[in-house]
Amino acid sequence: MNIKDINVAFAQPEHTKYAEQIVTMIYESALQRGTGIARRSPEYIAAKITGGKSVVAMHGERLVGFSYIECWSHGDFVATSGLIVDPEYRHLGLAGAIKAKTFEL
């Protein structure tokens, strides 16, 4: 597998079909690491996607990574959140590519 085969892009409304998968990926990753994480709903993730506040990594039609941004104080502050990479696609530098794309938001 090569990172050049993966498209990291701003999420589009059609990516909402992956919301449940994203929620599950984030939760399972937190369990594996033994970290606590606020569980997000698929509706919350879908809202980030349709609101133009998220990034997806796609290998063909397969979602292999995701992240979104949180804004507060009328947009004065922004943080990336929910960064996840499919375990089969880790160690390719994909997390860095996703995070870099979120900075463009």
Side-chain angles (χ1 to χ4, degrees):
M1 178 57 49
N2 189 320
I3 195 167
K4 293 178 184 176
D5 299 326
I6 300 168
N7 182 33
V8 178
F10 301 128
Q12 300 300 312
E14 61 266 20
H15 293 118
T16 58
K17 66 183 178 184
Y18 298 107
E20 182 70 45
Q21 177 186 349
I22 292 165
V23 168
T24 300
M25 287 173 63
I26 292 170
Y27 180 70
E28 288 176 353
S29 179
L31 285 178
Q32 289 171 356
R33 291 187 325 269
T35 60
I37 188 166
R39 190 142 191 202
R40 303 292 186 213
S41 70
E43 295 80 15
Y44 180 85
I45 296 298
K48 290 295 182 183
I49 292 170
T50 58
K53 295 183 177 181
S54 60
V55 169
V56 292
M58 302 295 298
H59 184 215
E61 292 297 312
R62 180 177 177 179
L63 176 100
V64 297
F66 179 80
S67 187
Y68 63 90
I69 61 170
E70 291 283 0
C71 303
W72 64 96
S73 293
H74 306 291
D76 289 341
F77 300 98
V78 179
T80 62
S81 192
L83 177 60
I84 188 68
V85 173
D86 183 304
E88 293 181 37
Y89 290 78
R90 292 182 182 159
H91 309 291
L92 298 174
L94 189 51
I98 293 169
K99 188 159 232 171
K101 192 69 173 175
T102 62
F103 288 141
E104 293 179 34
L105 291 173

